[in-house]
Amino acid sequence: MSFFEDFQASLEPLPNILQRKYALLRDLDKSLQGIQRQNEQRCLQEIEEFKEGIKSANVAPGTSLNKFSDEAQDEQKHAIRIADEKVALAVQAYDLVDAHIQQLDQYLKKFEEQRREKETVAAAGTPGLNPDGNGKPVKEGGRGGRKKSRLAAAAAAATAAANPPSMDLDLPVDPNEPTYCFCNQVSYGEMVACDNPDCKIEWFHYGCVGLKEQPKGKWYCSECSGMQKRRKGK
């Protein structure tokens, strides 16, 4: 089994695993909200009872309510335990996705090394000829195919789709993840590559460059396009 097939096999159960964790998070969140409402009502009731005690002279006016009842404090401790469980589940989900992202990065690195090796071997041999036999070397396919979304971007989009919109886990962003585009953000959604091989940025989000679908033919970012126009003007 190749590295890619192994990665694909490990990726298949990921959506179901995440779905189960998110379902458990929703259940914990629902339980936490119920306990918080119950505790809030209990505390308000105890405060009102304390006020009534002062009015009826059962409690001295100078006395203060130092603490709530044991039941109210137990509910607060229970709420804290549930909140800790939610945090632990969120960390597990993040670590699980991050592990797959790192595994994918390793595959892409290995794939890039293999591609460079093939290009080196091809460059050492005799260049191919055009079908018309004019003797000119065959031009490489170029970067047009790279306009499709990167695998990492697709994986990130699939992970985002699996996350229910009603839940905000506020997970941390991996500081080692590379950034792209004019916005200097990580890869997400649909992305397009500039066809200038010397482009400093290379990858761009559709929304940042005003695209709604994959461009036809070659596409250049605004910086590279302006540079080409200046060169033609000289």
Side-chain angles (χ1 to χ4, degrees):
M1 181 179 291
S2 66
F3 182 88
F4 178 73
E5 291 174 340
D6 182 58
F7 171 75
Q8 191 175 26
S10 66
L11 188 64
E12 287 180 358
L14 180 61
N16 290 333
I17 295 175
L18 291 176
Q19 188 175 9
R20 287 196 295 269
K21 290 186 179 296
Y22 293 140
L24 182 55
L25 275 170
R26 286 194 296 270
D27 292 340
L28 288 173
D29 188 62
K30 185 177 179 179
S31 177
L32 178 60
Q33 291 178 4
I35 293 175
Q36 287 176 331
R37 286 194 297 267
Q38 180 178 336
N39 183 253
E40 183 179 359
Q41 292 174 0
R42 187 187 299 275
C43 291
L44 290 174
Q45 181 180 354
E46 291 182 7
I47 292 173
E48 290 298 324
E49 290 175 354
F50 180 77
K51 291 180 179 179
E52 290 296 330
I54 294 177
K55 291 179 180 179
S56 61
N58 292 329
V59 179
T63 306
S64 62
L65 181 62
N66 294 326
K67 64 178 182 179
F68 292 105
S69 64
D70 292 339
E71 292 80 2
Q73 295 184 57
D74 289 340
E75 289 172 347
Q76 293 170 1
K77 292 177 181 178
H78 190 194
I80 293 175
R81 286 195 296 269
I82 294 178
D84 290 340
E85 290 183 37
K86 288 180 59 181
V87 172
L89 270 175
V91 171
Q92 290 175 12
Y94 172 81
D95 289 342
L96 186 62
V97 174
D98 184 62
H100 282 79
I101 292 176
Q102 292 183 17
Q103 189 178 8
L104 179 59
D105 288 339
Q106 292 176 3
Y107 166 73
L108 293 176
K109 183 179 180 181
K110 184 176 181 180
F111 178 80
E112 182 67 16
E113 291 174 353
Q114 292 176 350
R115 185 185 66 81
R116 291 179 180 177
E117 289 178 0
K118 290 180 180 180
E119 288 182 352
T120 302
V121 173
T126 303
L129 300 179
N130 280 329
D132 57 5
N134 57 12
K136 294 182 180 180
V138 177
K139 186 177 180 181
E140 293 294 332
R143 293 149 51 96
R146 296 168 58 205
K147 292 187 179 71
K148 296 180 179 179
S149 300
R150 299 190 321 128
L151 291 176
T159 302
N163 188 4
S166 61
M167 300 179 61
D168 184 9
L169 299 180
D170 194 21
L171 299 180
V173 177
D174 187 354
N176 298 320
E177 187 171 357
T179 57
Y180 307 91
C181 193
F182 295 127
C183 64
N184 195 31
Q185 298 294 323
V186 298
S187 62
Y188 62 85
E190 295 291 333
M191 298 186 71
V192 62
C194 178
D195 278 300
N196 181 9
D198 299 322
C199 181
K200 296 180 179 180
I201 301 178
E202 186 177 6
W203 285 97
F204 303 85
H205 304 106
Y206 273 21
C208 294
V209 293
L211 291 177
K212 294 184 178 179
E213 58 184 13
Q214 180 178 327
K216 298 180 181 179
K218 291 188 175 182
W219 180 87
Y220 298 91
C221 68
S222 57
E223 290 187 0
C224 295
S225 177
M227 188 181 300
Q228 288 181 345
K229 291 180 180 179
R230 287 194 296 271
R231 287 177 179 176
K232 291 180 180 181
K234 293 183 179 180

